[in-house]
């Protein structure tokens, strides 16, 4: 059974500082996705990582994938309040693109 | 462009009542369709997925069922709701092997 782990469940960040959050998973996969969820809202796709060594950047967020270590990182540069949300990673298995989600990390940016 | 709709947006139902949630996708053909439930604002649990009309795969045993009467329509049903069925229900679609895109969700409260 595929397990996807995100730690910690909650992270308080100081505005302007850099942070990295992690997602690790238990079985082989070369497709990993990051989603963002604002309170009471649906999930918004952030990054699609499809191969070992893949790196994607959007604004202050940068995601990378190491399939050998079964690890993805999401790096936050100079945190701002707008980044406060819950971030989920999800790992795909099978041709039907079934996703197994981590429990999510809730980020809160304080002044 | 593709869009995904869910209704109703919110629903309050008594225990033992039936349920029908609907999801439709526009702008694509033969999508993979998924139903997820998110309880207590945390991780997502895949309930059902479908790769074509009339083809439904169930991921967890429960008192819910799903149907796909048309190519771009996915319905989640229950004959008798339980308190534990409360949660945020999300429908998603994807092309095979590609990221999933989520609908706006239905918030269900069972009293």
């Amino acid at each position: 059974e595929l397990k996807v782990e995100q730690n910690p469940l909650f992270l308080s960040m100081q505005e302007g500082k850099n942070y990295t959050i992690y997602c690790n998973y238990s079985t082989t996969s070369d497709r990993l996705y990051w989603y963002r969820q604002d309170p009471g809202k649906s999930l918004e796709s952030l990054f699609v990582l499809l191969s070992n060594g893949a790196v994607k950047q959007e604004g202050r967020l940068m995601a990378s994938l190491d399939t050998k270590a079964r690890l993805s990182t999401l790096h936050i540069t100079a945190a701002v309040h707008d980044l406060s949300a819950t971030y989920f990673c999800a790992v795909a298995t099978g041709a039907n693109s079934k996703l197994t989600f981590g429990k999510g990390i809730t980020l809160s940016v304080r002044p | 462009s593709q869009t995904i709709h869910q209704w109703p947006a919110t629903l309050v139902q008594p225990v033992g009542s039936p349920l029908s949630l609907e999801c439709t996708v526009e702008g694509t053909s033969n999508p993979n369709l998924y139903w997820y439930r998110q309880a207590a604002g945390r991780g997502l649990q895949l309930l059902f997925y479908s790769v074509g009309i009339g083809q439904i795969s169930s991921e967890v045993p429960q008192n819910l069922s799903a149907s796909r009467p048309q190519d771009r329509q996915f319905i989640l049903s229950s004959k008798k709701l339980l308190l534990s069925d409360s949660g945020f229900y999300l429908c998603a679609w994807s092309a095979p092997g590609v990221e999933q895109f989520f609908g706006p969700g239905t918030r269900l409260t069972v009293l």
Side-chain angles (χ1 to χ4, degrees):
Chain A
E1 178 190 351
L2 172 60
K3 292 185 179 179
V4 180
E5 293 186 354
Q6 293 183 257
N7 290 293
L9 294 182
F10 181 83
L11 181 62
S12 179
M13 304 188 294
Q14 188 171 353
E15 210 166 43
K17 292 198 171 179
N18 301 335
Y19 296 87
T20 300
I21 60 176
Y22 301 93
C23 169
N24 54 36
Y25 53 98
S26 60
T27 63
T28 301
S29 173
D30 58 2
R31 288 176 287 155
L32 189 140
Y33 306 88
W34 283 95
Y35 289 88
R36 168 180 171 146
Q37 185 178 35
D38 292 302
K41 302 295 185 181
S42 184
L43 274 71
E44 172 190 356
S45 178
L46 288 177
F47 297 109
V48 178
L49 303 170
L50 298 178
S51 61
N52 186 42
V55 178
K56 295 282 184 74
Q57 182 162 5
E58 179 71 32
R60 300 176 185 273
L61 301 177
M62 183 173 69
S64 63
L65 177 62
D66 182 343
T67 59
K68 294 179 181 178
R70 299 176 185 167
L71 175 70
S72 179
T73 61
L74 183 64
H75 185 73
I76 300 152
T77 301
V80 293
H81 180 71
D82 285 350
L83 293 179
S84 297
T86 298
Y87 293 80
F88 291 94
C89 65
V91 176
T93 55
N96 295 324
S97 301
K98 287 170 48 179
L99 294 183
T100 300
F101 281 81
K103 292 185 177 180
I105 297 176
T106 298
L107 304 182
S108 176
V109 181
R110 64 184 188 279
Chain B
S1 64
Q2 301 85 10
T3 55
I4 179 168
H5 304 279
Q6 287 185 247
W7 63 89
T10 60
L11 192 59
V12 180
Q13 293 284 95
V15 169
S17 63
L19 174 73
S20 181
L21 303 181
E22 189 165 343
C23 170
T24 59
V25 181
E26 297 177 353
T28 187
S29 296
N30 197 30
N32 289 350
L33 296 173
Y34 309 84
W35 278 113
Y36 291 89
R37 177 170 59 202
Q38 185 178 38
R42 294 314 305 181
L44 280 77
Q45 179 186 38
L46 178 63
L47 301 176
F48 301 94
Y49 71 95
S50 171
V51 299
I53 295 174
Q55 300 178 62
I56 309 294
S57 296
S58 174
E59 289 296 299
V60 292
Q62 65 224 324
N63 68 324
L64 299 172
S65 62
S67 62
R68 185 171 177 173
Q70 301 181 44
D71 181 44
R72 290 169 288 178
Q73 184 185 31
F74 205 21
I75 297 172
L76 183 69
S77 303
S78 174
K79 292 182 179 178
K80 289 186 178 182
L81 283 169
L82 306 173
L83 286 174
S84 58
D85 291 323
S86 293
F88 191 39
Y89 288 82
L90 290 161
C91 180
W93 78 272
S94 76
V98 183
E99 70 192 290
Q100 293 182 19
F101 297 95
F102 286 81
T106 294
R107 191 163 304 279
L108 172 66
T109 303
V110 182
L111 301 175

